[in-house]
């Protein structure tokens, strides 16, 4: 019997990045959208990226197939089924509303479609969920504010806000006001920082936006005082190893700074980012770092425990998941 996967929380996952080519073609057919690729194989061959922007161009283009509540529900349900098979017990899921409203899809269609799949997740897949609404940092601050106001009628479904898309030249401080509004509405706050952008963006995300977690955060290693602060304040960093290699933030997995981050006492977690594009879901990321970096079982267990420590969970639920991690037997 194959070993059961290590129980984990996935904290850095863009739902649009789980759009597998097979579903993209099925939705294109259903919605009368023409894709500039003849087959799923041809589409997969386009997944060769030189940097974040080259990925984002394809990522946003393929979203053209997502149009109805059913489409968003099917996308999320498909992800949750694959995540469950990889040991995910809790998922905090990002979505990019502006990438859909810009194409004429109402924000309510996006949120209620995703919400429908999330409502059934515990029962169908044994995964508890949270939804985190991200603002596109290469769009204006006004657009982020308009998006937040448009989402207000749906805030019961939203647990937090985040910041993603093209990082360099779009510092966190640009979004001070919308993050302030989110805080006033009682939402959690996270932000991508230090993926391609400089270490100062991490400091700004903490000090100006008041974020509780940093997504990626790799470039903190360029600032020793910042590393010391992140370790002391126990700020979680949601690291995505396969993504970092595919987007050329890191040359090879064997050179990934994850061990250095662990040694520095940082609260790091392992996540999949955009698994349909980067070659794997959470357990694939764990397996890849285990093999490439020679991580032992106790380090893998610690990374899994970190994911639940960093999750937006009540303490009783967190304790239950941590007990599952402690009881896990590696095959
Ligand atoms: N949107 C989807 N994936 C992303 C990433 N890795 N960085 C920034 N924005 C993203
Ligand atoms: Zn991301």
């Amino acid at each position: 019997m194959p070993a059961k996967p290590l129980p984990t929380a996935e904290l850095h996952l863009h739902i649009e990045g789980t759009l597998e080519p097979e579903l993209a073609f099925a939705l294109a057919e259903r919605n009368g959208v023409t894709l500039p690729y003849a087959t799923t194989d041809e589409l997969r061959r386009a997944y060769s990226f030189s940097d974040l922007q080259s990925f984002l161009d394809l990522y946003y283009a393929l979203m053209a197939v997502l149009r109805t509540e059913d489409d968003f529900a099917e996308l999320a349900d498909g992800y949750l089924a694959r995540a469950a098979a990889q040991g995910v017990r809790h998922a905090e899921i990002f979505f990019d509303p502006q990438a859909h409203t810009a194409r004429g899809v109402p924000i309510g269609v996006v949120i209620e479609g995703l919400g429908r799949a999330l409502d059934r997740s515990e029962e169908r897949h044994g995964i508890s969920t949270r939804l985190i609404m991200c603002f596109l940092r290469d769009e204006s601050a006004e657009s982020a504010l308009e998006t937040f106001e448009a989402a207000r009628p749906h805030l019961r479904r939203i647990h937090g806000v985040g910041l993603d898309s093209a990082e360099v030249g779009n510092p966190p401080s640009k979004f001070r006001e919308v993050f302030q509004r989110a805080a006033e509405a009682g939402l959690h706050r996270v932000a991508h920082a230090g993926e391609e952008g400089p270490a100062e963006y991490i400091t700004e995300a903490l000090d100006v936006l008041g974020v509780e977690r940093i997504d990626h955060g790799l470039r903190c290693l360029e600032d020793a005082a910042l590393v010391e602060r992140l370790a002391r304040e126990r700020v979680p960093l949601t690291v995505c190893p396969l993504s970092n290699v595919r987007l050329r933030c890191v040359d090879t997995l064997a050179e990934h700074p994850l061990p250095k981050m662990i040694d520095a006492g940082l609260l790091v977690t392992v996540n999949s980012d955009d698994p349909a594009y980067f070659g794997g879901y959470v357990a694939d990321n764990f397996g890849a770092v285990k093999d490439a970096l020679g991580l032992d079982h106790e380090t893998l267990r610690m990374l899994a425990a970190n994911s639940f420590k960093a999750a937006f969970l009540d303490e009783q639920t967190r304790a239950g998941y941590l007990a599952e991690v402690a009881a896990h037997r590696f095959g």
Side-chain angles (χ1 to χ4, degrees):
M1 206 169 73
K4 273 176 80 171
L6 180 62
T8 52
E10 169 119 276
L11 305 179
H12 186 156
L13 180 281
H14 302 264
I15 199 64
E16 296 90 347
T18 71
L19 179 59
E20 293 285 349
E22 290 71 20
L23 182 59
F25 273 88
L27 294 181
E29 166 105 26
R30 189 154 98 193
N31 292 326
V33 173
T34 306
L35 290 175
Y37 305 92
T39 63
T40 53
D41 282 348
E42 193 185 321
L43 174 54
R44 276 205 172 84
R45 280 197 290 277
Y47 292 3
S48 169
F49 309 114
S50 51
D51 56 12
L52 174 57
Q53 189 62 57
S54 65
F55 155 69
L56 292 171
D57 291 343
L58 180 60
Y59 168 79
Y60 293 127
L62 261 201
M63 288 182 204
V65 303
L66 294 163
R67 301 220 62 93
T68 68
E69 265 192 43
D70 282 352
D71 299 343
F72 286 95
E74 201 171 325
L75 176 70
D77 192 65
Y79 159 68
L80 290 162
R82 294 190 290 282
Q86 297 227 343
V88 173
R89 301 282 288 110
H90 176 74
E92 302 194 352
I93 297 174
F94 295 146
F95 72 108
D96 286 329
Q98 290 153 294
H100 309 299
T101 54
R103 304 181 287 107
V105 179
I107 198 165
V109 165
V110 181
I111 298 175
E112 297 306 321
L114 295 174
R116 201 200 300 160
L118 269 47
D119 283 346
R120 297 183 301 224
S121 176
E122 296 246 18
E123 178 196 337
R124 277 200 184 178
H125 307 293
I127 299 179
S128 52
T129 58
R130 305 276 186 252
L131 201 51
I132 298 179
M133 176 167 74
C134 288
F135 303 110
L136 301 183
R137 67 198 310 153
D138 44 354
E139 297 294 331
S140 67
E142 292 70 34
S143 172
L145 286 164
E146 282 165 21
T147 302
F148 186 75
E149 293 310 321
R152 268 200 201 274
H154 308 279
L155 284 190
R156 75 183 195 292
R157 291 205 174 276
I158 294 174
H159 220 76
V161 295
L163 189 63
D164 64 2
S165 200
E167 186 180 8
V168 175
N170 295 297
S173 53
K174 183 175 158 187
F175 298 95
R176 178 197 304 263
E177 196 176 338
V178 76
F179 271 67
Q180 177 65 35
R181 261 186 225 182
E184 285 161 9
L187 299 180
H188 287 287
R189 287 160 288 166
V190 300
H192 284 54
E195 180 186 21
E196 284 190 346
E200 298 87 79
Y201 284 15
I202 299 174
T203 304
E204 249 188 43
L206 294 170
D207 293 341
V208 180
L209 304 185
V211 302
E212 297 151 85
R213 295 196 301 245
I214 296 288
D215 297 311
H216 293 296
L218 290 187
R219 290 191 59 190
C220 73
L221 294 171
E222 296 168 22
D223 179 343
L226 175 60
V227 170
E228 208 260 314
R229 174 187 177 183
L230 293 168
R232 191 179 60 247
E233 295 180 5
R234 309 296 292 146
V235 177
L237 305 180
T238 63
V239 174
C240 305
L242 289 175
S243 164
N244 296 150
V245 175
R246 289 295 187 101
L247 299 187
R248 316 253 185 117
C249 297
V250 170
D251 287 338
T252 66
L253 212 48
E255 294 162 272
H256 196 284
L258 183 67
K260 206 180 294 175
M261 298 173 92
I262 294 170
D263 287 348
L266 295 169
L267 201 152
V268 287
T269 70
V270 168
N271 307 270
S272 68
D273 205 5
D274 301 284
Y277 294 88
F278 299 152
Y281 288 77
V282 156
D284 304 315
N285 273 268
F286 269 82
V289 291
K290 173 179 180 288
D291 293 345
L293 300 168
L295 303 186
D296 62 19
H297 287 165
E298 289 321 304
T299 303
L300 298 175
R301 193 190 303 280
M302 180 200 69
L303 289 167
N306 282 353
S307 71
F308 293 109
K309 289 178 185 170
F312 298 136
L313 285 168
D314 66 78
E315 294 313 316
Q316 191 182 347
T317 310
R318 190 191 320 281
Y321 285 138
L322 286 170
E324 284 185 35
V325 173
H328 179 74
R329 295 276 161 268
F330 288 92

